[in-house]
Amino acid sequence: MKQDATKNAAYTVDCEDYVHVVEFNPFESGDSGNLIAYGGNNYVVIGTCTFQEEAAETEGIEYKTLRKFHHGVRVDGIAWSPETRLDTLPPVIRFCTSAADMRIRLFTSDLQDKNEYKILEGHSDFINGLVFDPKEGQEIASVSDDHTCRIWDLEGVQTAHFALRSPGMSVCWHPEETYKLMVAEKSGTIRFYDLIAQQAILSLESEQIPLMSAHWCLKNTFKVGAVAGNDWIIWDITQSSYPQEKRPIHLDRAYLFRWSTVSESLFATTGYPGKMSSQFQIHHLGHPQPVLTGSVAVGSGLSWHRTLPLCAIGGDHKLLFWVTEI
C-alpha cells in the first residue's frame, strides 16, 4: 500500500491473481469507502478503498477485501447494480459478470450467509460489454461478438433483442432517460436505441476501424467518446454524426476509452494489451498532449473513481491507481 514511482502509479494493491477487469462502483452506496470489484482467472473480489485525496486521516490508500466470489472461469467484464447498498441491514451487494464461457452471471450477496448467483444464457459468442439500468437496476444490457445487443430482466428473461451489423463492443445506458441505450459496433457505428419503441433513433460514425470501445459522457450526455484504430474520437451529438475531434495516441492500437465521472473534459485510454506492457493515458480536451502517461505490465481493465480524478487498472497480481488534476 505504498507510493510506487517505478510504474508511475500513485498507489498499488497486491492481488492473488492476474487481474483481467476492474470496476469502481459508479453509484452512491451509502458508505464512506468506495466499492471496487476486480476479476481474475476464476474469482471476483469485492473490496472498499479510501484514498488520501478524500480523507485526511488516510495515508496513501486503505484497501479492504469484503468478499471473494468463486467464479470458475475467467472474468471478462463486471457491471455494478445501483441496488448495491452498504448502509442497509443487511447490506446488499449486487453485480453481474461476463465470462469466457459466453454467459452472464448475476451475483447477490449480503456479505454473510446469502451468496447467490443466477446464470443468464443466450449469447453465442464473447460478451464485450454489459451494464445495469442505472435508475432501478432491474434490467441488464449486454453486447457480443454474436452481433446482438440483448436486454435481460433479473430472472434471466430476455426482454429485448437488437440485431447488429458487426460485433457489439460497448453498451451504455443514459443516466436519466433510461429508455435510451447506446451501442457501439466494431464496424465504427454507434447507435442510440429507444427501448420503448425498440428501434434506433440516432447513429454516429467513427470513419475508422476497428472501433474497440466507446463511452457516453455522464457529465454531458451530448458527448460520446471512443477509440478506433490508433485514435481517440469525440462526438458532439447535437452537432454532427461525424467526429468533432480526434487524435492518434496509441501506436499499438487503442483498446479502451472511459470518460471521467468528475469532468466532461477528462478521459482515459489504454493501448492494446501488449506482449510486454500496455500504455495508459489520461487526456484533457483543453490540452494537445496527454496530461498523464503510464505503462502497465500486461494491464487490463480501466475504471474511474466516482468522485475523484483517479483511475484504476488491473495488472499482474496488482491493482494500480493513477491520480490527476481536473
Side-chain angles (χ1 to χ4, degrees):
M1 311 286 179
K2 58 189 186 301
Q3 290 269 348
D4 185 353
T6 53
K7 294 278 187 295
N8 300 351
Y11 313 111
T12 60
V13 169
D14 291 331
C15 308
E16 287 179 33
D17 194 0
Y18 180 80
V19 179
H20 290 289
V21 60
V22 56
E23 290 292 340
F24 279 113
N25 182 8
F27 305 108
E28 165 61 57
S29 61
D31 186 77
S32 58
N34 301 276
L35 280 164
I36 192 166
Y38 65 90
N41 286 325
N42 55 15
Y43 66 86
V44 180
V45 175
I46 303 293
T48 58
C49 39
T50 308
F51 298 90
Q52 66 184 21
E53 283 75 8
E54 60 189 327
E57 67 279 6
T58 301
E59 199 174 311
I61 178 178
E62 277 177 22
Y63 170 81
K64 183 175 129 204
T65 292
L66 296 180
R67 184 163 283 267
K68 189 170 167 180
F69 296 87
H70 184 69
H71 198 263
V73 60
R74 189 187 73 219
V75 184
D76 288 340
I78 298 172
W80 282 96
S81 163
E83 292 192 290
T84 291
R85 302 297 301 181
L86 288 179
D87 57 355
T88 53
L89 278 174
V92 179
I93 296 282
R94 179 168 284 163
F95 62 94
C96 63
T97 62
S98 58
D101 62 1
M102 304 168 229
R103 292 165 164 179
I104 296 167
R105 287 166 176 77
L106 170 62
F107 288 83
T108 306
S109 170
D110 63 3
L111 297 176
Q112 289 153 9
D113 306 327
K114 182 189 171 188
N115 295 288
E116 308 168 350
Y117 77 91
K118 186 178 288 290
I119 289 179
L120 283 56
E121 285 187 278
H123 280 300
S124 58
D125 209 333
F126 286 116
I127 299 162
N128 296 314
L130 74 170
V131 64
F132 274 89
D133 93 75
K135 279 275 196 256
E136 308 292 329
Q138 296 306 298
E139 291 187 302
I140 297 164
S142 58
V143 289
S144 163
D145 280 351
D146 67 10
H147 295 213
T148 66
C149 169
R150 298 168 196 245
I151 314 285
W152 318 73
D153 67 16
L154 301 190
E155 294 304 310
V157 176
Q158 282 185 45
T159 57
H161 176 288
F162 300 104
L164 310 178
R165 292 168 200 176
S166 67
M169 302 307 289
S170 299
V171 59
C172 300
W173 227 296
H174 192 287
E176 303 299 329
E177 300 163 19
T178 52
Y179 60 90
K180 287 184 184 166
L181 194 73
M182 183 199 94
V183 174
E185 297 190 30
K186 201 169 190 174
S187 62
T189 302
I190 297 173
R191 285 190 186 82
F192 297 84
Y193 290 90
D194 177 325
L195 295 178
I196 299 164
Q198 296 213 357
Q199 63 186 25
I201 45 177
L202 179 74
S203 69
L204 307 175
E205 296 297 334
S206 70
E207 303 182 293
Q208 207 155 351
I209 54 168
L211 187 153
M212 295 306 291
S213 171
H215 199 211
W216 212 337
C217 181
L218 301 186
K219 275 282 180 198
N220 175 357
T221 51
F222 293 141
K223 279 184 168 174
V224 171
V227 285
N230 305 74
D231 297 11
W232 61 251
I233 301 166
I234 309 284
W235 292 263
D236 175 342
I237 64 176
T238 63
Q239 300 293 317
S240 168
S241 60
Y242 292 98
Q244 183 187 35
E245 231 181 305
K246 60 178 173 183
R247 201 159 293 153
I249 35 160
H250 296 287
L251 297 171
D252 53 348
R253 288 232 318 260
Y255 191 57
L256 293 174
F257 182 107
R258 295 285 185 274
W259 288 105
S260 147
T261 41
V262 294
S263 162
E264 63 174 81
S265 298
L266 202 59
F267 59 94
T269 59
T270 63
Y272 221 75
K275 292 184 178 66
M276 294 304 288
S277 67
S278 30
Q279 201 185 34
F280 154 75
Q281 295 180 351
I282 294 179
H283 311 268
H284 192 287
L285 281 176
H287 295 260
Q289 299 296 327
V291 292
L292 190 152
T293 300
S295 88
V296 193
V298 290
S300 55
L302 175 63
S303 184
W304 284 92
H305 189 283
R306 190 174 64 83
T307 55
L308 293 174
L310 182 147
C311 259
I313 291 186
D316 185 4
H317 293 71
K318 269 192 184 74
L319 292 175
L320 302 109
F321 301 91
W322 275 263
V323 188
T324 185
E325 269 82 52
I326 295 177

